[in-house]
Amino acid sequence: MDNTRPLKICYVIDNFSCGGTESQLKLLLQNLDRNLVVPYLCLLNGQSEESRALEPENVTSTRLGIKRLISLRAMTGALRFRKFLRQNKIQIVQAFFPDSTRFASPISKLCGVGKVLGTRRNIG
């Protein structure tokens, strides 16, 4: 990994809503030092007006329109996600919530992403 360039990190989440994880991710995306990290955002679904309204504006993002992981839309979404990772030369993927982790982890590994992280909060 080249330490002279910012890391390209893709954050994967189901949707944006007024929840705690979503709010913390939005703050992170808005405040990351762009000299160190170039953030990208992938939403499994992200089609609702609420989700679109809450998305940070200063981040390259994609919405896959996936409501269920076992569906034709999920298969086409996987191809779009793979293309997104490769086009943007993503180095790290961090997924939030079980569905996003199940979806993003195998595709990211198959694309050669260096690190894939699954994050769970509020497991109590």
Side-chain angles (χ1 to χ4, degrees):
M1 205 175 313
D2 185 356
N3 291 331
T4 61
R5 295 189 183 142
L7 282 173
K8 293 183 174 189
I9 303 177
C10 180
Y11 298 91
V12 183
I13 195 163
D14 301 6
N15 286 294
F16 265 101
S17 65
C18 292
T21 299
E22 296 90 336
S23 298
Q24 288 181 5
L25 177 58
K26 183 176 180 177
L27 284 171
L28 174 70
L29 292 170
Q30 290 173 328
N31 293 295
L32 283 169
D33 182 344
R34 296 304 197 268
N35 293 313
L36 302 174
V37 175
V38 178
Y40 294 82
L41 176 64
C42 178
L43 295 113
L44 286 191
N45 189 355
Q47 302 298 330
S48 72
E49 284 189 37
E50 177 187 26
S51 183
R52 288 174 182 256
L54 292 170
E55 289 175 29
E57 296 178 14
N58 62 342
V59 177
T60 301
S61 63
T62 188
R63 293 178 208 92
L64 301 176
I66 298 170
K67 294 180 182 175
R68 292 178 306 147
L69 291 184
I70 300 175
S71 66
L72 182 58
R73 187 172 294 248
M75 291 175 63
T76 58
L79 295 174
R80 288 181 52 217
F81 182 59
R82 181 184 74 175
K83 183 178 179 181
F84 184 79
L85 294 176
R86 288 183 174 166
Q87 280 182 337
N88 293 296
K89 298 180 176 138
I90 301 298
Q91 297 165 285
I92 298 172
V93 169
Q94 182 172 359
F96 297 85
F97 304 131
D99 282 351
S100 294
T101 302
R102 285 185 201 109
F103 176 82
S105 295
I107 298 165
S108 301
K109 279 300 188 187
L110 288 171
C111 288
V113 172
K115 300 252 186 232
V116 180
L117 308 168
T119 305
R120 268 181 71 189
R121 296 186 63 241
N122 192 17
I123 59 174

